[in-house]
Amino acid sequence: MLIGKACRVGGRVRSCVVKALARLFTSSSSMAKSKFEYVRNFETDDTCLRNCYIVVRLDGRNFHKFAEQHKFTKPNDNRALGLMTQSARSVMGELEDIVIAYGQSDEFSFVFKRTSTLFKRRASKLMTHVASQFSSSYVFYWKEFFGEQPLLYPPGFDGRVVLYPSNRNLRDYLSWRQADCHINNLYNTVFWTLVQKGGLTTAQAEDRLKRFSMEFRSGDWAGHDRVLIWWSSIQTFIDLAVWHGALSCWKNQSSELGNIQQEGSKFSSRRTLYVV
Ligand SMILES: Nc1nc2c(ncn2[C@@H]2O[C@H](COP(=O)(O)OP(=O)(O)O)[C@@H](O)[C@H]2O)c(=O)[nH]1
Ligand SMILES: [Mg+2]
């Protein structure tokens, strides 16, 4: 507005504009270094504690709807799992300090090595880089997995950061996610087999599984086995695809993970992809 007023004076238009711009620039830049500088103090320190594994876990936003609208097959859609895996691969390629990635359904966990100093270990930076790289890759590689089926709208992923101070904690974290995967897969596989091959309605299938849901949901592995044996004995049509997608895991560095490798047979010492 000041510039406009000065310009009405006539012959000295160009010099007025230049001076006004110069004034604006000088005053704003000097103020940024003095008067407004204090706003930096509102930023919180989110540096991750040293010597801990940094785990970033992503989860798809509203994926029950996304899966429905994109006609994912039930209970597991190989294209969707492949796309998640490819997106995770892309994240691991970009962020070299990630040593393990584990995914299931619409979630993926990324484990950074304990000694990582990437982005000065700032949680928000790590999490947002992982989430944005993953999300853009999901869109970028969509066609590779879904072919001509269009992506109807941009998917989103939330992220969280959790720190684990010991190998045991990290191993238990991964076991927890794997148990979750197993439980959900077991339930979903039986449920959808009853519907798709057994001809039950979804309500009937839910009802049939109700009395076993405690065992399904409780994380009680012996309970799962009992349920499986029971089902196998009377429902011959159920093929045991319950392990489908139960584990997808890479690691690309072995040095820090020695103890985990000894304790858990699920991890390999070389860069390896497991998809069971
Ligand atoms: N049909 C199908 N659905 C899937 C597949 N993977 C993920 N989903 C859907 O994604 C959801 C992920 O769970 P959750 O994160 O709790 O739900 P959200 O809050 O809707 O994202 C599942 O409940 C399924 O509805 C798949 O391979 N096939
Ligand atoms: Mg989700």
Side-chain angles (χ1 to χ4, degrees):
M1 192 186 277
L2 274 174
I3 293 172
K5 196 176 173 186
C7 288
R8 264 184 253 123
V9 177
R12 294 178 309 177
V13 171
R14 185 177 295 176
S15 74
C16 284
V17 170
V18 170
K19 275 181 193 164
L21 276 173
R23 237 191 348 264
L24 189 68
F25 179 74
T26 317
S27 60
S28 67
S29 65
S30 61
M31 278 192 289
K33 280 198 160 46
S34 54
K35 186 175 170 186
F36 299 127
E37 183 78 4
Y38 79 97
V39 295
R40 274 180 173 277
N41 298 328
F42 282 65
E43 291 180 16
T44 49
D45 179 13
D46 63 349
T47 309
C48 294
L49 192 64
R50 285 167 59 163
N51 214 33
C52 290
Y53 289 107
I54 301 169
V55 175
V56 176
R57 182 165 81 251
L58 303 183
D59 189 282
R61 180 164 184 267
N62 264 337
F63 255 54
H64 67 281
K65 182 181 136 206
F66 187 84
E68 200 81 22
Q69 299 208 338
H70 291 89
K71 300 185 172 47
F72 285 10
T73 54
K74 294 177 168 87
N76 292 300
D77 188 304
N78 277 334
R79 301 165 303 171
L81 289 174
L83 179 55
M84 290 289 289
T85 302
Q86 178 58 37
S87 305
R89 230 189 270 268
S90 162
V91 171
M92 288 188 90
E94 288 299 317
L95 305 172
E96 65 279 4
D97 281 357
I98 296 172
V99 287
I100 293 176
Y102 174 79
Q104 52 142 332
S105 182
D106 68 337
E107 71 164 60
F108 240 100
S109 297
F110 297 90
V111 183
F112 286 81
K113 65 181 183 182
R114 291 175 117 166
T115 53
S116 177
T117 54
L118 200 60
F119 306 121
K120 297 183 179 156
R121 293 177 75 83
R122 287 183 59 188
S124 52
K125 288 260 187 185
L126 291 165
M127 186 181 67
T128 51
H129 272 291
V130 170
S132 64
Q133 185 70 34
F134 192 93
S135 303
S136 60
S137 300
Y138 195 93
V139 173
F140 186 79
Y141 292 112
W142 173 268
K143 222 171 167 196
E144 253 180 51
F145 293 86
F146 283 86
E148 290 311 305
Q149 183 177 324
L151 179 61
L152 299 175
Y153 59 89
F157 293 85
D158 71 38
R160 72 187 71 188
V161 173
V162 191
L163 303 180
Y164 291 107
S166 69
N167 282 349
R168 158 142 322 237
N169 291 152
L170 179 64
R171 194 190 66 173
D172 288 348
Y173 169 77
L174 293 169
S175 299
W176 174 52
R177 296 325 300 148
Q178 196 189 349
D180 187 77
C181 176
H182 171 74
I183 292 163
N184 287 332
N185 254 319
L186 184 58
Y187 185 89
N188 290 338
T189 301
V190 175
F191 180 89
W192 286 110
T193 307
L194 284 173
V195 172
Q196 291 163 353
K197 296 186 185 169
L200 271 61
T201 65
T202 51
Q204 286 170 330
E206 202 171 316
D207 195 52
R208 287 278 287 276
L209 290 174
K210 202 173 271 172
R211 58 196 166 122
F212 293 100
S213 62
M214 283 306 290
E215 285 172 328
F216 268 119
R217 301 281 186 201
S218 67
D220 168 9
W221 288 66
H224 297 155
D225 289 346
R226 278 199 298 280
V227 174
L228 265 183
I229 290 164
W230 182 78
W231 276 108
S232 322
S233 63
I234 65 159
Q235 305 284 347
T236 49
F237 59 80
I238 292 179
D239 57 35
L240 296 180
V242 291
W243 299 98
H244 184 96
L247 177 68
S248 60
C249 172
W250 302 267
K251 64 179 295 302
N252 56 7
Q253 288 172 22
S254 59
S255 52
E256 277 198 321
L257 298 159
N259 289 343
I260 291 181
Q261 284 164 8
Q262 283 157 22
E263 291 166 24
S265 58
K266 296 274 160 47
F267 299 98
S268 162
S269 61
R270 295 248 161 67
R271 188 184 181 103
T272 307
L273 164 66
Y274 291 93
V275 177
V276 179

